[in-house]
Amino acid sequence: MIRMKQIYRVPFERNSPRVKELRAQYVQTIFDLESLDRPHELIFVDEAGFNLTKRRRRGRNVIGQRAIVEVPGQRGGNVTICAAISNHGVLHHHVTLGPYNTQHLLRFLANLRDILFEQQGQELNENPIPTNVIVLDNVSFHRAAQVREWFNINGQFMTLYLPPYSPFLNAIEEFFSSWRWKVYDRQPYTRVNLLQAMELACGDIGEESCQGWIRHTRGFFPRCLRRENIACDVDEVLWPDPAQRQEEAH
């Protein structure tokens, strides 16, 4: 009755009382923002890495023949992209060679600020200027002193940090998942072509997709407020109740 299976690594803290309390506080903060007279705009910002050697792991071919895809002979360097999405779609994105750091993030935030001020300035006669709430995960350089100082100086921006071990509350995770495969489907074989593929893939994702990903994250809010255990998508097989898995899938 026992067979060899894939091992799923689940952090001990994923559904600890401390993390569940932080999730409830995060959701309550969003509800408090929505109750204010001044409008607000949630903007999800994060980074994702790309490499030319990455490809789909499965493919189709005639029975008896292997599914083959050509890849570069050498691994090459990573390319990191930082993006910002909201209910208005992809607001800004920037590509850099190598990993992201505090200085890259500060430049990204400055460019994002200029883009938002230009857009919101055009809509000033129709709607009041909202408070831009930048939602970040808990990577160390996201919490650097220079980043906190940037938000102190720019009063129309505030930061909201996601609770740990809660990728299901970060809408940009699904954005990167979709965007990454749109990039690799274009089969970029050089670093220059990879940058072009990133730009083209960005244009493939519209407002409706971003709105759907944000709605999906909000679907977890009631369970966060009830401080329930929440499994990530990859850990669904670990849920104890198959009926609950079926219910959550719908």
Side-chain angles (χ1 to χ4, degrees):
M1 300 299 292
I2 298 176
R3 65 178 61 178
M4 186 68 70
K5 296 184 178 181
Q6 180 177 350
I7 293 177
Y8 291 87
R9 295 178 295 179
V10 180
F12 293 134
E13 290 289 314
R14 173 161 294 170
N15 284 304
S16 67
R18 180 185 72 89
V19 171
K20 288 190 284 189
E21 182 62 31
L22 290 174
R23 289 173 185 160
Q25 292 175 8
Y26 169 82
V27 173
Q28 189 60 54
T29 299
I30 291 180
F31 288 163
D32 291 343
L33 289 170
E34 292 177 344
S35 67
L36 299 176
D37 293 333
R38 184 175 182 180
H40 76 284
E41 181 76 21
L42 286 178
I43 301 173
F44 296 84
V45 174
D46 203 359
E47 308 84 27
F50 289 79
N51 191 284
L52 289 173
T53 59
K54 290 185 180 178
R55 290 292 185 277
R56 292 188 182 274
R57 294 181 178 272
R58 307 182 72 86
R60 294 183 176 87
N61 203 351
V62 178
I63 295 176
Q65 299 184 22
R66 291 182 177 180
I68 297 173
V69 61
E70 294 182 348
V71 298
Q74 297 182 351
R75 177 177 174 82
N78 287 326
V79 179
T80 304
I81 188 161
C82 185
I85 68 169
S86 73
N87 277 316
H88 297 291
V90 182
L91 301 177
H92 180 44
H93 64 281
H94 177 260
V95 178
T96 186
L97 301 180
Y100 239 66
N101 56 33
T102 302
Q103 296 306 316
H104 287 133
L105 179 61
L106 291 173
R107 285 195 292 269
F108 182 89
L109 290 173
N111 292 332
L112 176 62
R113 175 194 59 199
D114 295 340
I115 292 170
L116 291 173
F117 282 177
E118 181 179 354
Q119 293 177 352
Q120 294 166 356
Q122 296 172 355
E123 301 172 357
L124 184 60
N125 295 330
E126 301 176 6
N127 302 301
I129 296 178
T131 299
N132 298 296
V133 183
I134 306 297
V135 182
L136 297 168
D137 62 18
N138 291 279
V139 175
S140 58
F141 68 85
H142 286 174
R143 291 181 171 271
Q146 292 173 288
V147 175
R148 294 178 180 271
E149 181 64 22
W150 188 91
F151 283 101
N152 290 334
I153 294 173
N154 294 272
Q156 286 184 293
F157 289 80
M158 63 172 290
T159 182
L160 179 61
Y161 289 102
L162 287 155
Y165 306 112
S166 306
F168 47 85
L169 294 176
N170 194 359
I172 206 167
E173 295 286 349
E174 294 187 78
F175 164 80
F176 280 132
S177 177
S178 175
W179 194 4
R180 181 175 283 110
W181 291 120
K182 290 180 184 296
V183 171
Y184 289 123
D185 282 344
R186 289 182 163 83
Q187 300 184 356
Y189 292 106
T190 66
R191 190 174 292 178
V192 174
N193 286 343
L194 177 60
L195 301 182
Q196 295 173 348
M198 288 180 175
E199 294 288 338
L200 294 172
C202 179
D204 293 342
I205 299 176
E207 286 186 17
E208 291 185 1
S209 295
C210 295
Q211 292 168 0
W213 294 323
I214 293 173
R215 284 197 304 271
H216 183 244
T217 64
R218 295 182 70 92
F220 290 94
F221 283 9
R223 297 177 62 194
C224 290
L225 290 175
R226 293 194 298 266
R227 295 163 176 78
E228 296 180 4
N229 289 350
I230 301 178
C232 296
D233 295 339
V234 73
D235 299 323
E236 276 191 26
V237 293
L238 302 180
W239 290 16
D241 185 358
Q244 184 185 9
R245 284 205 304 270
Q246 179 110 13
E247 179 182 350
E248 293 297 334
H250 296 291

